[in-house]
Amino acid sequence: MAAVIPLADAHNSDNSPPESESELLPQYDTLPPAHRRVGRQSTGWRILDACIEFFHPATRAPPPRINKPLFPGTILTCQTWLSDKLSRFSSTPWLILTFFFVLWIVVTLIQVHFSIYAAEADGEAPEKLTCTASLWSASGCGLNGVYCAPFSNRTYTFRCPASCLQVVTLDKALVGQNIAYHERIVVGGQPNYRGDSWLCTAAEHAGVIDDVVGGCFNVHLTGSVASYPSVSQNGISSLAFDSPFPLSYTISECQTERYCQDFSLASFFVSFIFAIMLLFCRLSNTAFYFSLIILGYWTVVFFSFDAVRFDDRFFSDAFANFLPLVAVCYIVYEYIIKSTLPDVNSYSFDMLIFYLVPFFFAVNNVAWSSQFPDVTLTGSVFDDPATVVMLFIQILIIGFFAVYLAYYQRKLQRLPKLISGYGIFFVLFFMLPLALPLLTHLHHYMISLLLLPLSTEVQTRPALAVQSFFLGWFIQGVGRWSFASPLEVASQQQAGDIAGTSVPSWDGLNITGWKNDRYISWLYTLDDIDYRDITTTVADKAKIDAYSLRMNDVEIYRSTSASYNVSTAALFDVPSLVQNGNLTVPFYFRVAAVQNGRTLDYSKPLKVYLNGSVVFFNGTWVP
C-alpha cells in the first residue's frame, strides 16, 4: 500500500477528530503541483504536466528591472544645469518641449529646402529624380515608344539624391537573354547608356556625381546605338547589350551648380542629436516616447537613404500615414512599452545607449530591411542565393533575441497567451488565402509588430535594445513603404515581376519564314491554358484580345495575328541593316497575350540573327 502523506487539516485547526472518512484523504485541489502528479503515473500525464509546467510555471516571477543606472551623476548634472537655465523662462516641461519642437521643425525645414528644393544647375532648376528613374519604361512608353519621344537631339538637367548605390531591383529584369535581379540597372557606358538605364546610377557610373551627396548633371539624348558594352568603373559594373536600342544618352557635368548636394547623411545625425536633447528636457516617459516616434518617422520620410524623397507624392502619402501611425504607436505604448521603460530622467545614459542608438540604427538601416519587402511565399527573393543567405542570417539573429525575450515571458506566465495569439494570427494568415483569391505577404513592419509583445515588462538592457530596434524597424517600414495589406492579389504582389500567367510558345516559329521574309510567328496552345475548360476555340475561350510583341524590349506590335513582319519595325530599320551586310546583328523577341486590355506575362526571349540563325532561351541553337 502507498504511504499516506500526513497533512494538516485546514478545517480542523484545533486537531479535533475528523467527522468523516473522506477528511482523512488529502484534497487534490489543495495539493502543490508536485503532489498532484502522485496519482498520475502514466507517461502521457507526466509529459503533459511537464509541458504545462514549462510554458506556465506554478509561480509568477517578478518582472526584471534594471537596478542601477549607468553613470548616474554625469547626465543628472547636465539635466540639473539645463533645468536651472530654463527655469528662468518657464518651469513647465510642456513649454520646454514646445520650444524643442519649434526649433526642430525650423531646422528640419531648412535642411529639406536646401537639400531638395533650392538646387540650381546651369541657370535653371534641375528635375528631381528618384534612384530608379529612367528615360524609358518598357510598359510606360507605349507602342513604338511614342510616349517616350524624342529619342535624340535633346538635353535635360537632372538632380539625384544620395546613396542610390544601395538601391537594387527587386524584380527580375531581362536585358537580352540575361536576367538582372538584385542588381543596379545600368546598361552600357563609355559613353552611351541604354535608355532604360537608371539615370542616377548611370551618373555615378560615369563619375559625374558622388554617392555620398548625390548631385546635378546633364543628359544628352543620342538616339539609336548599335550595341552597349559592359563597363566597370567607379565601383559599378554595367550590363552589356549586343543589339540596337532606339533611345540612348550620354552624361556630362553641369557647368555651374548651387545646392545640388544631398546632405541626408548629415541630417540623420542632426535628428539623432535632437533625440539626445530629449533626454535633458526632464520629460515624462510618455512625452519622450511620442517625441521619439515623431522624430524617427519624419527622419525616414525626409532623410532616409532609401526614401524616394525627391518625389513630392511621397511626402503627400507620408502625411496621410502619420495619424494612423500615431494611433498604432499609442496602442503599442499602452500595452507594451509603458510597462517596460525605466524612468527616462533617472536612466538617461541607459536610454541613450540601449534605446536611442538601436532605434536610429533600425530607422535608417536600409541594408537590414531591403530583403524583407519582397519576402512572400511565392516571391522571387528565394531565387537569389546571396539574398537567401542574408535573409537566413537575419532570421537567426531575430530568432535568438525572440527566444531570449520568450524566456522572460515564460517566467512572467505570459507565454501561453502569446502563443495563443500568434497561433490565431498565423492560422488566419495562412487559411484566408485558401478561401479568398489572395496571396500572403508578411511585410517587415508587420514582423516588428508581431515581435514587440515579447518585450512586455522585460526591463533588461538587452531587452530595451531589442524593443527599440523593433520599434524603429516598424517606423522605417511604414515611413518608407506605407501601410500595406498582408493579403494581396497576384498583380500587387508580383508588381513588375513575373505574375505566373500563361505565355505564348515559340514552338510556332517558322524558321524558313524568318530567313526568307523576316516573319516572327508563335503559338498559343491548349497546354498554355490547361487550367481553363476549353469548349470553343483557344483564343475565344481564353479571352485573348490580342498579342504584344517586344523587339529588344520595345513593344513594336499589338494586334490579333500570331505573326509579324519585322522588316516593318520602323524603330530598328532592319532592311537597311540587311542591305549594308550587317547580318550578324542579333535581335531579341518576347511575346505576350493581351487579355481584357491587360498584358500578361511575356515569354522567354528568342534571340535571332539577320543571317537566319535562331537561339532559344534554353541555349538551343538553330543555324
Side-chain angles (χ1 to χ4, degrees):
M1 295 179 62
V4 178
I5 301 175
L7 292 174
D9 189 347
H11 302 289
N12 296 283
S13 57
D14 57 353
N15 296 322
S16 59
E19 297 180 357
S20 63
E21 184 179 351
S22 60
E23 294 184 19
L24 292 172
L25 300 176
Q27 299 300 309
Y28 182 79
D29 56 354
T30 64
L31 292 178
H35 291 162
R36 293 182 195 177
R37 290 196 297 270
V38 171
R40 298 182 180 181
Q41 299 298 327
S42 67
T43 303
W45 281 115
R46 286 198 298 269
I47 294 176
L48 179 60
D49 282 338
C51 292
I52 293 175
E53 207 170 298
F54 175 81
F55 288 104
H56 193 278
T59 57
R60 184 181 191 271
R65 290 292 181 263
I66 301 174
N67 296 321
K68 183 180 179 182
L70 294 175
F71 309 108
T74 306
I75 293 185
L76 182 61
T77 302
C78 297
Q79 286 177 328
T80 304
W81 176 84
L82 185 61
S83 298
D84 292 341
K85 296 296 182 182
L86 294 177
S87 64
R88 300 176 183 177
F89 304 97
S90 173
S91 59
T92 306
W94 283 105
L95 289 180
I96 298 174
L97 184 62
T98 301
F99 172 78
F100 168 85
F101 271 106
V102 169
L103 178 62
W104 172 73
I105 290 172
V106 170
V107 172
T108 300
L109 290 180
I110 292 174
Q111 294 177 93
V112 170
H113 174 72
F114 285 101
S115 186
I116 298 179
Y117 295 105
E120 182 180 301
D122 292 344
E124 64 181 24
E127 182 177 347
K128 302 186 299 293
L129 300 177
T130 61
C131 290
T132 59
S134 63
L135 295 175
W136 185 282
S137 170
S139 59
C141 286
L143 189 64
N144 292 314
V146 63
Y147 300 127
C148 294
F151 301 149
S152 60
N153 301 321
R154 187 68 63 90
T155 299
Y156 301 101
T157 302
F158 295 117
R159 185 187 178 210
C160 289
S163 306
C164 281
L165 288 186
Q166 298 188 35
V167 181
V168 295
T169 176
L170 297 178
D171 300 324
K172 293 180 179 178
L174 277 168
V175 180
Q177 287 189 325
N178 299 316
I179 298 177
Y181 177 63
H182 266 250
E183 294 186 50
R184 309 172 189 94
I185 306 301
V186 180
V187 184
Q190 288 188 344
N192 290 287
Y193 294 91
R194 207 172 89 159
D196 55 353
S197 299
W198 292 351
L199 287 159
C200 293
T201 312
E204 295 190 30
H205 180 265
V208 299
I209 65 172
D210 187 83
D211 188 60
V212 176
V213 294
C216 299
F217 58 96
N218 291 321
V219 168
H220 313 278
L221 304 188
T222 57
S224 179
V225 173
S227 62
Y228 304 84
S230 174
V231 179
S232 296
Q233 59 186 23
N234 298 312
I236 305 172
S237 296
S238 66
L239 304 172
F241 185 65
D242 56 351
S243 190
F245 196 82
L247 174 61
S248 307
Y249 61 85
T250 60
I251 296 175
S252 65
E253 295 181 349
C254 296
Q255 298 300 315
T256 60
E257 59 181 56
R258 296 176 58 200
Y259 308 122
C260 280
Q261 287 75 24
D262 175 20
F263 294 105
S264 57
L265 180 61
S267 300
F268 156 70
F269 285 106
V270 171
S271 297
F272 183 66
I273 290 172
F274 269 98
I276 295 176
M277 291 171 59
L278 289 172
L279 298 174
F280 297 94
C281 294
R282 288 192 173 274
L283 302 175
S284 65
N285 283 9
T286 303
F288 172 81
Y289 169 80
F290 283 101
S291 300
L292 186 61
I293 295 299
I294 294 172
L295 283 177
Y297 178 75
W298 292 109
T299 297
V300 172
V301 172
F302 290 128
F303 308 121
S304 177
F305 300 148
D306 195 33
V308 287
R309 55 192 178 278
F310 277 19
D311 187 346
D312 294 339
R313 293 172 298 180
F314 177 72
F315 293 150
S316 176
D317 294 338
F319 280 99
N321 288 321
F322 179 63
L323 287 181
L325 173 83
V326 172
V328 173
C329 289
Y330 172 78
I331 297 173
V332 170
Y333 178 75
E334 284 294 322
Y335 291 96
I336 300 173
I337 308 292
K338 190 175 183 178
S339 61
T340 307
L341 281 184
D343 180 63
V344 174
N345 300 307
S346 302
Y347 292 83
S348 299
F349 200 84
D350 295 85
M351 294 299 293
L352 170 62
I353 301 300
F354 297 101
Y355 219 84
L356 293 186
V357 171
F359 178 82
F360 275 90
F361 174 80
V363 159
N364 290 275
N365 194 299
V366 178
W368 177 267
S369 61
S370 61
Q371 319 299 334
F372 284 90
D374 195 44
V375 176
T376 63
L377 295 181
T378 59
S380 56
V381 66
F382 301 106
D383 296 339
D384 182 61
T387 304
V388 172
V389 171
M390 181 63 180
L391 190 61
F392 180 73
I393 294 174
Q394 291 172 325
I395 292 174
L396 283 181
I397 295 174
I398 293 174
F400 172 80
F401 286 109
V403 171
Y404 169 80
L405 295 175
Y407 166 76
Y408 284 101
Q409 295 302 323
R410 171 186 174 272
K411 297 178 68 175
L412 295 171
Q413 294 184 336
R414 294 171 48 87
L415 194 57
K417 295 180 180 179
L418 288 172
I419 293 176
S420 300
Y422 289 140
I424 293 173
F425 172 82
F426 282 107
V427 166
L428 291 174
F429 185 71
F430 290 110
M431 291 297 290
L432 281 177
L434 300 179
L436 302 172
L438 299 174
L439 300 175
T440 58
H441 192 158
L442 190 60
H443 302 270
H444 73 276
Y445 81 84
M446 296 178 185
I447 298 175
S448 61
L449 275 184
L450 287 172
L451 294 174
L452 270 172
L454 289 173
S455 64
T456 307
E457 293 190 271
V458 184
Q459 193 190 99
T460 65
R461 291 184 175 96
L464 287 177
V466 174
Q467 183 185 83
S468 62
F469 177 85
F470 288 154
L471 184 63
W473 206 25
F474 167 70
I475 299 295
Q476 192 267 349
V478 176
R480 173 60 184 91
W481 304 101
S482 299
F483 286 103
S485 172
L487 300 175
E488 300 173 338
V489 297
S491 59
Q492 286 179 298
Q493 189 168 104
Q494 299 294 339
D497 210 346
I498 298 172
T501 61
S502 58
V503 298
S505 170
W506 289 118
D507 292 339
L509 176 65
N510 187 331
I511 297 179
T512 302
W514 165 249
K515 290 181 178 180
N516 298 334
D517 302 317
R518 309 302 174 193
Y519 266 92
I520 288 288
S521 55
W522 55 88
L523 289 176
Y524 201 74
T525 66
L526 290 174
D527 291 337
D528 297 321
I529 50 173
D530 57 1
Y531 58 91
R532 301 178 183 275
D533 178 21
I534 304 299
T535 58
T536 58
T537 63
V538 172
D540 289 341
K541 184 58 183 178
K543 299 187 185 332
I544 300 303
D545 306 323
Y547 297 101
S548 172
L549 181 67
R550 286 183 182 177
M551 180 177 182
N552 288 4
D553 299 321
V554 178
E555 187 179 30
I556 60 171
Y557 171 78
R558 181 176 284 249
S559 189
T560 57
S561 176
S563 64
Y564 176 72
N565 188 344
V566 177
S567 298
T568 62
L571 290 180
F572 296 97
D573 196 9
V574 171
S576 295
L577 292 173
V578 174
Q579 184 178 356
N580 295 331
N582 296 323
L583 301 181
T584 58
V585 176
F587 288 96
Y588 299 89
F589 291 92
R590 302 173 69 198
V591 63
V594 179
Q595 186 180 71
N596 298 325
R598 182 174 70 94
T599 304
L600 305 183
D601 286 344
Y602 280 89
S603 65
K604 301 295 186 182
L606 177 75
K607 184 177 183 180
V608 299
Y609 293 85
L610 296 181
N611 61 10
S613 299
V614 177
V615 181
F616 292 89
F617 186 79
N618 61 7
T620 302
W621 177 66
V622 180

